[in-house]
Amino acid sequence: MLKRKIDSYLKDWKQREHKPLIIKGARQIGKTTSIRQFGKSYPSFIEINFMENPEYKSVFQHGYDPNRIIKELSLLNPEFEFIPYQTLILLDEIQEYPDATTSLKFFKEDGKYDVICSGSMLGNHYKKVSSISVGYKEDVQMYSMDFEEFLWANGYNEENIEFIYSFLKELKPLPDSIFEKLSDLFQDYIFCGGMPEIVDTFIKEKTFSNIFSKQSQLHSDYENDITKYVEGLDYAKVLNVYRHITSQLSKENHKFQISKLGHGARSREYTGCQEW
């Protein structure tokens, strides 16, 4: 189990007065895995995945009363155990049915159950929500693994990292041996990237031989998501933007220019595509 920064956020969220939580972030960055691990701190953890089990959508189509929702979910899956004040409910892949987030207001007012929503590209789907629970939810953005998390995965503890930070805070150069070791690790991180599955494979096998094919598959999955979720835009143009990100940002000026996407490409023709 890879340690993530979201772990400490979730622990703090549970201990303080809190509202239902929406965790946003790109696909495959470890949102669901972290929430499942956090769910072990509850006597009961209920996971509802709108992509794998679309039948759950119907429960939220007849209103948002938590008591009725709990009752219908129990009928759909008798194995669900809803224990008041001791249950965490995960509404996963919420982008498949974003209107379910309207229920967060009512779960907050009811107060018997903790609720976390998780999904990719939520910002593109909020426009579909009939009534966003403003004031009754918390939003947090999760990202892929950063270098500090990569160091955790490689066995470095908080004391080790604080020692490294001490040199940075005092503007002192690191000892040569430590600098060389961290340089090697950072190079590994650059090759791996921050996707947890890739990092986990590298940590276990200590070789790059099996990670490049997985990276290629993730890249293909992202492109498939573009064709699936792009609405109101030319998905071919969105794909063109996506495929040019790395090549353009790797140049010396680190700028992304629409004019470089192809012969005669103009900004007005790509309105909205770059933002997507």
Side-chain angles (χ1 to χ4, degrees), residues 76-117:
L76 283 174
N77 191 336
E79 294 183 0
F80 284 164
E81 184 179 12
F82 293 93
I83 307 172
Y85 308 104
Q86 299 184 67
T87 299
L88 174 64
I89 302 171
L90 167 60
L91 304 180
D92 203 9
E93 301 292 357
I94 196 71
Q95 78 279 353
E96 293 293 322
Y97 190 64
D99 206 44
T101 58
T102 302
S103 66
L104 299 184
K105 173 183 177 180
F106 303 95
F107 273 108
K108 170 57 180 174
E109 291 177 337
D110 182 65
K112 294 189 183 72
Y113 306 96
D114 285 349
V115 182
I116 295 179
C117 297

Side-chain angles (χ1 to χ4, degrees), residues 7-18:
D7 300 340
S8 58
Y9 182 95
L10 291 172
K11 290 178 182 178
D12 177 68
W13 173 80
K14 181 182 180 182
Q15 292 171 359
R16 58 180 166 80
E17 181 68 25
H18 57 269

